[in-house]
Amino acid sequence: MKNLLYPLVFATAFVATACTSTNETDFDTPVDPNGKTAISFSVEEQRRALTRAGFTDITKIAMRIKSEATGKANRYTRTVATAAAASGKDYSSITVDGAYVRYWDDAYGRAANLSVFAIAVPNKDDIKNDEKSLEEKLTAGTDTWFTETTENEKISWKISTTQTSTTLDDEDLTYSNNIKDGGTGGVYQYDFTQNKYPNDNTSLSDGRMQFRLQTATETDGPGKFDKGHLMFNHALSRITVNLKKGDGYPTTGAFEFTNGTSVKILNVPVSGDLDLTNGTWSNRSLGDIVSMYQKQKAATGAVYTLMAQILPDYVISATSTTNMLTFTIDDNQYFITQQQMYDALKDATGMTKKDASEVTMEQGLNYNFTITVKKTNIINVTAVVQPWSDVNAEEFTPSNARITLDGIYDSNSGKKSTDFTLYRVLDESDEITDTYVGKKWNGNYTDAATLAENTDGSWSTNWYFESNKAYYHFRTVNEGITIEGTSDTDNSVADYFIIEAGPVASTDPHWGAPMTNEPVYNVTNGYTDCLSSAIGATNAKINITDQHMMSNITVKLQTTDGNDKVTLAGAKVYITKLHTTGNVLMGTGLVTPTGNVTAQQEMTGNNEGTEFTYAIVPQALVRATTNATDDDYVGITIVTADNNQYYIVKKLSEITASTVSNVKSQTQGSAIKRWFPGHTYTYTFTLKKAGIDKITCTVEGWTDVTADNKNISLED
């Protein structure tokens, strides 16, 4: 054990002779020319699980000594000493400026009971913290020894939020408080049988320093003052983060901190007051460590090793999802929560402040985390506390946004649909302002996911969020639909797919997207009012609402029971002057009719001629706002079995909605001027030999197909 010899009395002239006595140990204290007896100490830096040792370089120590005597007011003094490096010997010699010499005689002499509270920054002889020197951190009176109305053994301390090797060394506060009432291992008592002070720590006594009579049964007589043994403890906690390169990153290159930043530690104590009497902190202020110190030589197997120190007593909760660490590599931002940190530490040893609900970071412990970083997630996080106590923690695997997809369920049949293709398009932030809006709907939607069905019924994709600057729009369409576009590279181009009128049974194209509220179609902007903004890396559930993109037109024919009854069997129904093709924009779901107007489109009917259906491209029923001619109107022609075309409605836009159900785009009693996607329009015609008696129309929304809170699950 290396000890620091601290005779806080003599001028420099006495240093060389301090340890030359042959009758006593190295703790022999000389007497000054005025006959006063010095207050003397030995000192060590206490490190858990390592051999105790003195400081390895010149170190300034500031001390506050408290003298108590029965029936007298407490006296205090502030003093400073400098310890030399304990090189080649088991203690450090001391140089004390004459202004800081302190004596028992001035501290109530034989009646004194001394407590000592000291601070130091190891191996530093000229340190300031928050513009104050070490001695200025301690209270001082106007005289060498002074009294206080209110005792004050507290000091303030502040750490840097941007940490370097210099700040780590300069702010590594240590303190000693083992010489006090209730203190342990701080007192050397003179051994009158051996005529010397013990010089090993097996003979240390507890409590305060005092005068000891040679004969314990006497009330006065010869004796010796105790010598003190200061044990310094680290006042801060340290965190070391080792980052290893995992799958997805090339063996060479890449794996760089974005914008020069490194690992950040979030919302931790960065300043406060340390009570030297008991080693507790108060009045702590919180802040972020915005940059840890990056060591030039990383730990074995790691690409980066970073270190920081904070005030202790930061609580790592077993259940909190609050982020504690974050770092960004190659635009991939990773977060580690308190819960994940706790899980890594919960089975570790070497800590005293740990239970089933939390780990509290302790003074003098370096919490060492090794994190293997994949392109898509964080894996193999281990934790160890060093160097005083090694703590090995279980590995854990926090997720970083792998995309999986649960099946889309048809609420009509209750069966899961496998007839869909999932697409995405990147919505990048503005390159000039680096702002993100997430409503750039256009782009190349031809990047389809490879889907694999899992045993639990979900779907895994081959997709990952490449970085935390990657925001995507997700879209689904029926399997087999071809995505059209004029460019595979220009994100300003609007991709689309083609729809075409036809029998309902075979023509039912779907389009799906994440929605923020109930889908409502706008004839100018599609579904933009309810579309979700582009989605970034997240573990939250994402719902996709699947929409029917055609208008389902049903025509029901009925007749009277009288002499003007019409035979319906064999009748045919045609929709006239309409667009039979259209484009659906992948980004917004907007439907635009295309091509020339078709003269007529025959609907599919039953054998009785009573009901006809057809899927029609959504469109306006009148194409001109002013001076419209008959060619601008969508109409219906009904032909009976004898081919008499005497049932004709030229302007369907004049028919009003008699009943409206589950539809916001149409009001009851108003004219139906447009067919909307996902709507069923049922027209009922009562035919008589003289013509059409009456026409009614009901409007009903098709049933939305929506994944029940389990569409895209972003988890590994």
Side-chain angles (χ1 to χ4, degrees), residues 40 112 131-132 184 192 213 228 377 443 462 486 509 543 582 659 662 665 709 714:
S40 301
E131 304 302 320
K132 289 186 177 182
T184 58
F192 292 100
L213 290 168
N377 59 13
N462 60 323
T486 59
N543 296 331
T659 305
N662 193 32
S665 59
N709 198 31
L714 304 180

Side-chain angles (χ1 to χ4, degrees), residues 51-64:
T51 303
R52 293 171 173 175
F55 298 120
T56 59
D57 206 344
I58 296 174
T59 302
K60 175 187 280 189
I61 299 173
M63 283 185 271
R64 175 179 164 90

Side-chain angles (χ1 to χ4, degrees), residues 68-382:
E68 300 171 274
T70 302
K72 299 180 181 294
N74 295 342
R75 284 184 178 176
Y76 305 89
T77 189
R78 185 179 73 180
T79 187
V80 177
T82 301
S87 177
K89 49 187 177 181
D90 59 1
Y91 63 90
S92 293
S93 59
I94 299 297
T95 300
V96 180
D97 187 278
Y100 288 111
V101 173
R102 302 293 182 262
Y103 303 100
W104 283 93
D105 306 67
D106 300 323
Y108 297 130
R110 291 189 174 196
N113 290 276
L114 299 186
S115 301
V116 182
F117 307 102
I119 55 175
V121 175
N123 312 317
K124 299 293 179 180
D125 65 345
D126 185 18
I127 285 296
K128 285 193 173 183
N129 183 270
D130 202 18
E131 304 302 320
K132 289 186 177 182
S133 64
L134 288 181
E135 59 268 30
E136 289 172 336
K137 294 285 185 179
L138 301 169
T139 57
T142 56
D143 297 322
T144 301
W145 289 90
F146 55 90
T147 59
E148 288 181 335
T149 303
T150 302
E151 185 174 343
N152 181 19
E153 271 84 38
K154 286 185 178 180
I155 68 162
S156 62
W157 201 256
K158 183 178 182 180
I159 62 170
S160 301
T161 54
T162 297
Q163 301 203 357
T164 65
S165 60
T166 300
T167 63
L168 283 171
D169 291 342
D170 290 354
E171 296 166 1
D172 182 17
L173 176 66
T174 63
Y175 68 96
S176 175
N177 64 0
N178 64 311
I179 302 176
K180 64 180 181 181
D181 187 18
T184 58
V187 177
Y188 285 103
Q189 296 184 27
Y190 189 81
D191 187 340
F192 292 100
T193 61
Q194 299 292 326
N195 292 323
K196 66 178 182 178
Y197 288 96
N199 61 354
D200 63 83
N201 62 3
T202 61
S203 302
L204 289 169
S205 301
D206 300 334
R208 295 168 293 183
M209 297 166 58
Q210 57 184 275
F211 180 79
R212 314 277 179 176
L213 290 168
Q214 181 174 349
T215 304
T217 57
E218 299 293 334
T219 58
D220 198 3
K224 291 283 187 179
F225 288 102
D226 292 338
K227 308 294 185 181
H229 186 72
L230 299 176
M231 295 183 181
F232 279 85
N233 299 286
H234 288 272
L236 304 178
S237 301
R238 281 189 171 179
I239 299 175
T240 297
V241 176
N242 299 300
L243 296 181
K244 299 174 68 176
K245 185 185 296 187
D247 296 340
Y249 288 98
T251 304
T252 59
F255 207 73
E256 299 289 339
F257 286 119
T258 301
N259 298 326
T261 59
S262 59
V263 180
K264 295 182 180 180
I265 310 174
L266 306 177
N267 204 35
V268 291
V270 295
S271 65
D273 297 333
L274 175 64
D275 190 333
L276 298 177
T277 61
N278 53 28
T280 60
W281 289 87
S282 61
N283 299 324
R284 300 185 306 162
S285 296
L286 303 181
D288 294 344
I289 304 300
V290 298
S291 181
M292 298 179 70
Y293 161 60
Q294 181 180 326
K295 291 187 174 181
Q296 291 185 345
K297 184 177 181 181
T300 302
V303 179
Y304 301 108
T305 294
L306 304 107
M307 179 180 287
Q309 57 195 10
I310 64 174
L311 272 62
D313 302 326
Y314 177 84
V315 176
I316 303 173
S317 169
T319 58
S320 174
T321 57
T322 299
N323 292 323
M324 179 176 174
L325 298 181
T326 181
F327 54 93
T328 303
I329 291 181
D330 293 352
D331 283 337
N332 289 280
Q333 187 171 13
Y334 299 91
F335 294 91
I336 300 180
T337 66
Q338 287 188 13
Q339 184 179 31
Q340 292 167 328
M341 298 283 276
Y342 176 87
D343 287 341
L345 292 169
K346 64 182 180 181
D347 296 323
T349 59
M351 296 173 289
T352 61
K353 296 182 179 180
K354 180 188 70 172
D355 57 31
S357 63
E358 62 189 29
V359 168
T360 301
M361 295 185 66
E362 302 175 52
Q363 300 176 9
L365 293 185
N366 181 12
Y367 296 79
N368 189 307
F369 289 86
T370 299
I371 304 173
T372 301
V373 184
K374 276 187 162 183
K375 187 70 173 180
T376 53
N377 59 13
I378 303 172
I379 63 169
N380 300 333
V381 179
T382 60

Side-chain angles (χ1 to χ4, degrees), residues 389-431:
S389 299
D390 291 333
V391 179
N392 297 308
E394 293 293 328
E395 295 181 359
F396 70 88
T397 308
S399 174
N400 186 36
R402 176 177 177 176
I403 303 168
T404 62
L405 179 72
D406 270 6
I408 298 178
Y409 291 83
D410 190 316
S411 58
N412 290 325
S413 65
K415 295 181 180 179
K416 183 176 70 176
S417 172
T418 59
D419 179 23
F420 68 91
T421 304
L422 177 67
Y423 293 96
R424 68 176 177 177
V425 70
L426 183 66
D427 186 333
E428 297 177 305
S429 61
D430 187 282
E431 294 182 358

Side-chain angles (χ1 to χ4, degrees), residues 557-590:
L557 300 182
Q558 60 187 23
T559 187
T560 66
D561 294 329
N563 294 330
D564 55 354
K565 179 179 180 180
V566 174
T567 300
L568 299 179
K572 295 182 179 181
V573 176
Y574 300 89
I575 301 178
T576 61
K577 296 181 175 60
L578 78 160
H579 289 284
T580 58
T581 60
N583 295 339
V584 180
L585 294 184
M586 286 293 289
T588 64
L590 178 66

